[in-house]
Amino acid sequence: MWKWRLTAAGINLLLGIPAVVPLFLIWYYLANGPLADAGLTSREPTENDGMTLWLVIVVPVVAVFGIIWWLANDWVRPRASLAPGAYWTAGAVLTLWPVWAAVVTSVA
């Protein structure tokens, strides 16, 4: 049981490293699209190709990462003997941990 819980934690932490790319793409699209339209951010001055091109890039990258993340966790979850809600919440937090660490260390 503990072996599978540690395996789940390791898988999610390792998947958090490539998660930087899809999360950055989501942020870039939101910052230059809907959030800029709402006045919460300012658009990138050199971004003049339109946001449709970004959707063509963002959607497949996020979809592929999401499928890989879900398949890896769906395989380990029954063996980890945790409640589904606790498992998926912990998995998401552990996946976001490397992204959070990259943001904090780049700002500091």
Side-chain angles (χ1 to χ4, degrees):
M1 179 170 56
W2 280 102
K3 176 181 79 166
W4 287 105
R5 289 181 183 179
L6 291 174
T7 302
I11 286 172
N12 284 301
L13 282 171
L14 287 175
L15 283 173
I17 296 168
V20 172
V21 174
L23 290 173
F24 169 75
L25 290 173
I26 291 170
W27 168 249
Y28 190 85
Y29 174 76
L30 291 174
N32 286 302
L35 294 177
D37 291 340
L40 298 173
T41 61
S42 58
R43 291 188 192 276
E44 177 71 31
T46 60
E47 183 61 58
N48 58 5
D49 293 334
M51 295 312 292
T52 305
L53 176 64
W54 276 101
L55 278 176
V56 171
I57 296 169
V58 171
V59 170
V61 170
V62 172
V64 167
F65 177 78
I67 290 169
I68 291 169
W69 183 80
W70 179 76
L71 287 173
N73 280 291
D74 194 48
W75 178 70
V76 174
R77 190 195 64 76
R79 295 163 179 83
S81 300
L82 288 172
Y87 180 85
W88 291 106
T89 303
V93 169
L94 287 170
T95 302
L96 292 175
W97 186 262
V99 177
W100 178 81
V103 169
V104 167
T105 56
S106 68
V107 171

